[in-house]
Amino acid sequence: MGKMVTNTLFGNVYANKKVLITGHTGFKGSWLTAWLLRMGAQVYGISKDVPTQPSLFEVLGLQQRITHYTADVRNAETVQKIIHEVRPNFVFHLAAQPIVLESYKNPADTIATNVMGTTNVLEALRVLNLQCTAIVITSDKCYDNVEWLWGYKETDALGGKDVYSGSKGAAELVCKCYYHSFFSKPTSQVRIATARAGNVIGGGDWAINRIVPDCMRAWSEGRIVEIRSPQATRPWQHVLEPLSGYLLLGQALHANAALNGENFNLGPKTERSYTVQTILQDLSQCWHFANPQSAYKIIGDVAFHEAGLLKLNCDKALLALNWTATLDYKTLIDFTGDWYYQFYNPKQDMFACTMKQIETYEELAKQQQQQWIQNA
Ligand SMILES: NC(=O)c1ccc[n+]([C@@H]2O[C@H](COP(=O)([O-])OP(=O)(O)OC[C@H]3O[C@@H](n4cnc5c(N)ncnc54)[C@H](O)[C@@H]3O)[C@@H](O)[C@H]2O)c1
C-alpha cells in the first residue's frame, strides 16, 4: 500500500484559528469560508444579508458550519461589539457594495459601505489591539485608470471615476492612514495589508448583470443567451486564484512584520485575454448542448471600446510572496462550467463537489510547486 501523502496548506497557520470574514455570505466569501473550513479554521462571519437567491452560502449550508452574524458594517458600534466578542486571529474584510452599476444608483450607500465599513472594521481592531492579521480586499479598480496598455503597479496613483472604483481607492487610503497612524507603531498588535484583484468567475455566483451567472441562469431554464459585445475581453480568473493570494498574504504577514502596511496585486496567470464569445462557446461544452448554436445568439457587434480594461502587474506578489495564479484557461472553464452543470443537472451534494474542486485546485498548485502548498 502506498504511503498517504498529506499536504500542508499555508503553513497550517489557519488550523484551529479564529478567522473572521466580513462578506462571508457573498460569492468570494462563501468560497473562502469553505476553504478555511477545509483547513480546520474556526470561521466567524459578518454580513448584512445573503445577497442572491440562490446563493453559494445557502447551497453549501455554511450557516450551520460557522458562527454567523447578521450585521451591517456601516454600524460602527455593532462591528466593534462583534469583533471584540470574537477576538479574531485573522480578518478577511470582503464586505462591500461590489457592483459598479449599483454605485451610480446609490452612491452614498456605496461609499458608506465600502469606505466607512472598512474604517469601522479597522477602528474595532485598533481599539481591541490584540494580535491580529487583517487582509483588506479592495479591487483592481482602485487605480486611477489612465487607459494605458501597461499593467498597473502597486505604486501607481489611486483613483477611480465611477463611485464604486473611487470607493475602493478611498478604502485603500483609509488602510494607508490607519497603518501609518496606528498599526505601524511598536505598541500595535495589528498588522494589515490590502489585496487588489480583478473580476473573478467560478461556480456559485448568481449576481445579476455578470455574464457567466446570466448565462448559467439562462441555460438552466433552457433559454438561449443573447450577447451584444461578443468581442469584449476580460482578464478572466477563477475565484480560488485571488483567494489563494489572500490566504498566502495572511500567512506571510502573520510571519513577517516587514509586510505590514503593504499592498498586493493578484492577477491571472495568462497573458491572453479571451473574448466573451470564446468563453461562452467553451462553457457551453460543459453543458453538453446537442447543438452548440442553441447556447447563445449574437444580437449585436458593438465595436467594443476596451477603455476601462485594466491590467495588473503582479511582479510584487511573485517576488515578495512567491505567488502566481495556478489554473490554465481550460481548467478555469471546466471548473466553472462543471460546477453549475452539477448544480442544475441534477442537483448533487454541492458541498462535496465544491470541496472536490478545492482539492483538485490544491493538487494542481502542488504540481506547480506553489509556495502555499507543501508535503506535510
Ligand atoms: N467578484 C468580483 O469579480 C470582484 C472583483 C474585484 C473585487 N471584488 C471585491 O471582493 C469582495 C467580495 O465580492 P463578491 O463578488 O463576493 O461580492 P458579493 O456581492 O457576492 O458579496 C458581498 C458581501 O458583502 C456583504 N455586504 C454588503 N454590504 C454590506 C454591509 N453594509 N454590511 C455588511 N455586509 C455587507 C453581503 O452581505 C455579501 O456577503 C468585495 O469587496 C468586492 O468589491 C470582487
mmCIF file of all heavy atoms in Angstrom, residues 189-205:
data_model
loop_
_atom_site.group_PDB
_atom_site.id
_atom_site.type_symbol
_atom_site.label_atom_id
_atom_site.label_comp_id
_atom_site.label_asym_id
_atom_site.label_seq_id
_atom_site.Cartn_x
_atom_site.Cartn_y
_atom_site.Cartn_z
ATOM 1 N N GLN A 189 -0.607 45.688 17.956
ATOM 2 C CA GLN A 189 -0.573 44.228 17.776
ATOM 3 C C GLN A 189 -1.197 43.834 16.438
ATOM 4 O O GLN A 189 -1.279 42.656 16.110
ATOM 5 C CB GLN A 189 -1.404 43.549 18.876
ATOM 6 C CG GLN A 189 -0.971 43.835 20.283
ATOM 7 C CD GLN A 189 0.249 43.019 20.633
ATOM 8 O OE1 GLN A 189 0.558 42.026 19.976
ATOM 9 N NE2 GLN A 189 0.956 43.432 21.660
ATOM 10 N N VAL A 190 -1.705 44.837 15.723
ATOM 11 C CA VAL A 190 -2.464 44.555 14.498
ATOM 12 C C VAL A 190 -1.574 44.757 13.277
ATOM 13 O O VAL A 190 -0.827 45.725 13.214
ATOM 14 C CB VAL A 190 -3.695 45.499 14.404
ATOM 15 C CG1 VAL A 190 -4.502 45.217 13.143
ATOM 16 C CG2 VAL A 190 -4.564 45.364 15.648
ATOM 17 N N ARG A 191 -1.663 43.827 12.344
ATOM 18 C CA ARG A 191 -0.966 44.001 11.070
ATOM 19 C C ARG A 191 -2.004 44.014 9.951
ATOM 20 O O ARG A 191 -2.933 43.204 9.974
ATOM 21 C CB ARG A 191 -0.008 42.833 10.808
ATOM 22 C CG ARG A 191 1.164 42.833 11.772
ATOM 23 C CD ARG A 191 2.107 41.688 11.489
ATOM 24 N NE ARG A 191 3.152 41.666 12.493
ATOM 25 C CZ ARG A 191 4.070 40.719 12.599
ATOM 26 N NH1 ARG A 191 4.061 39.693 11.746
ATOM 27 N NH2 ARG A 191 4.985 40.780 13.536
ATOM 28 N N ILE A 192 -1.808 44.902 8.974
ATOM 29 C CA ILE A 192 -2.743 44.886 7.845
ATOM 30 C C ILE A 192 -2.013 44.912 6.511
ATOM 31 O O ILE A 192 -0.879 45.397 6.402
ATOM 32 C CB ILE A 192 -3.774 46.040 7.851
ATOM 33 C CG1 ILE A 192 -3.102 47.401 7.659
ATOM 34 C CG2 ILE A 192 -4.653 46.022 9.052
ATOM 35 C CD1 ILE A 192 -4.121 48.457 7.233
ATOM 36 N N ALA A 193 -2.712 44.399 5.503
ATOM 37 C CA ALA A 193 -2.256 44.518 4.123
ATOM 38 C C ALA A 193 -3.505 44.557 3.254
ATOM 39 O O ALA A 193 -4.568 44.082 3.665
ATOM 40 C CB ALA A 193 -1.382 43.328 3.743
ATOM 41 N N THR A 194 -3.377 45.118 2.067
ATOM 42 C CA THR A 194 -4.529 45.127 1.159
ATOM 43 C C THR A 194 -4.222 44.286 -0.076
ATOM 44 O O THR A 194 -3.067 44.148 -0.476
ATOM 45 C CB THR A 194 -4.923 46.553 0.707
ATOM 46 O OG1 THR A 194 -3.932 47.046 -0.205
ATOM 47 C CG2 THR A 194 -5.068 47.497 1.884
ATOM 48 N N ALA A 195 -5.299 43.738 -0.654
ATOM 49 C CA ALA A 195 -5.157 42.899 -1.848
ATOM 50 C C ALA A 195 -6.065 43.438 -2.941
ATOM 51 O O ALA A 195 -7.239 43.740 -2.699
ATOM 52 C CB ALA A 195 -5.517 41.464 -1.517
ATOM 53 N N ARG A 196 -5.497 43.567 -4.136
ATOM 54 C CA ARG A 196 -6.212 44.157 -5.274
ATOM 55 C C ARG A 196 -6.288 43.121 -6.395
ATOM 56 O O ARG A 196 -5.271 42.784 -6.995
ATOM 57 C CB ARG A 196 -5.452 45.383 -5.772
ATOM 58 C CG ARG A 196 -5.208 46.413 -4.672
ATOM 59 C CD ARG A 196 -4.120 47.396 -5.025
ATOM 60 N NE ARG A 196 -3.963 48.399 -3.967
ATOM 61 C CZ ARG A 196 -3.010 49.328 -3.960
ATOM 62 N NH1 ARG A 196 -2.136 49.394 -4.943
ATOM 63 N NH2 ARG A 196 -2.936 50.187 -2.963
ATOM 64 N N ALA A 197 -7.482 42.595 -6.615
ATOM 65 C CA ALA A 197 -7.653 41.601 -7.677
ATOM 66 C C ALA A 197 -8.780 42.052 -8.600
ATOM 67 O O ALA A 197 -9.591 42.901 -8.232
ATOM 68 C CB ALA A 197 -7.974 40.238 -7.081
ATOM 69 N N GLY A 198 -8.839 41.444 -9.769
ATOM 70 C CA GLY A 198 -9.860 41.817 -10.749
ATOM 71 C C GLY A 198 -11.040 40.870 -10.732
ATOM 72 O O GLY A 198 -11.240 40.120 -9.780
ATOM 73 N N ASN A 199 -11.813 40.922 -11.816
ATOM 74 C CA ASN A 199 -13.033 40.114 -11.939
ATOM 75 C C ASN A 199 -12.762 38.623 -11.811
ATOM 76 O O ASN A 199 -11.805 38.125 -12.380
ATOM 77 C CB ASN A 199 -13.642 40.332 -13.312
ATOM 78 C CG ASN A 199 -14.430 41.607 -13.347
ATOM 79 O OD1 ASN A 199 -14.094 42.555 -12.644
ATOM 80 N ND2 ASN A 199 -15.476 41.622 -14.142
ATOM 81 N N VAL A 200 -13.615 37.963 -11.083
ATOM 82 C CA VAL A 200 -13.469 36.521 -10.941
ATOM 83 C C VAL A 200 -14.719 35.799 -11.429
ATOM 84 O O VAL A 200 -15.820 36.353 -11.388
ATOM 85 C CB VAL A 200 -13.194 36.116 -9.466
ATOM 86 C CG1 VAL A 200 -11.823 36.574 -9.046
ATOM 87 C CG2 VAL A 200 -14.256 36.636 -8.532
ATOM 88 N N ILE A 201 -14.518 34.571 -11.862
ATOM 89 C CA ILE A 201 -15.651 33.704 -12.194
ATOM 90 C C ILE A 201 -15.467 32.380 -11.450
ATOM 91 O O ILE A 201 -14.407 32.122 -10.866
ATOM 92 C CB ILE A 201 -15.808 33.461 -13.723
ATOM 93 C CG1 ILE A 201 -14.583 32.753 -14.311
ATOM 94 C CG2 ILE A 201 -16.049 34.776 -14.438
ATOM 95 C CD1 ILE A 201 -14.784 32.319 -15.775
ATOM 96 N N GLY A 202 -16.491 31.547 -11.491
ATOM 97 C CA GLY A 202 -16.429 30.269 -10.786
ATOM 98 C C GLY A 202 -17.831 29.842 -10.423
ATOM 99 O O GLY A 202 -18.781 30.637 -10.541
ATOM 100 N N GLY A 203 -17.986 28.610 -9.988
ATOM 101 C CA GLY A 203 -19.297 28.094 -9.634
ATOM 102 C C GLY A 203 -19.909 28.879 -8.486
ATOM 103 O O GLY A 203 -19.204 29.378 -7.621
ATOM 104 N N GLY A 204 -21.240 28.985 -8.508
ATOM 105 C CA GLY A 204 -21.936 29.524 -7.347
ATOM 106 C C GLY A 204 -22.086 31.031 -7.305
ATOM 107 O O GLY A 204 -22.499 31.565 -6.288
ATOM 108 N N ASP A 205 -21.763 31.719 -8.395
ATOM 109 C CA ASP A 205 -22.033 33.159 -8.446
ATOM 110 C C ASP A 205 -23.391 33.336 -9.104
ATOM 111 O O ASP A 205 -23.625 32.792 -10.185
ATOM 112 C CB ASP A 205 -20.942 33.872 -9.269
ATOM 113 C CG ASP A 205 -21.027 35.397 -9.162
ATOM 114 O OD1 ASP A 205 -21.844 35.898 -8.365
ATOM 115 O OD2 ASP A 205 -20.262 36.084 -9.866
#
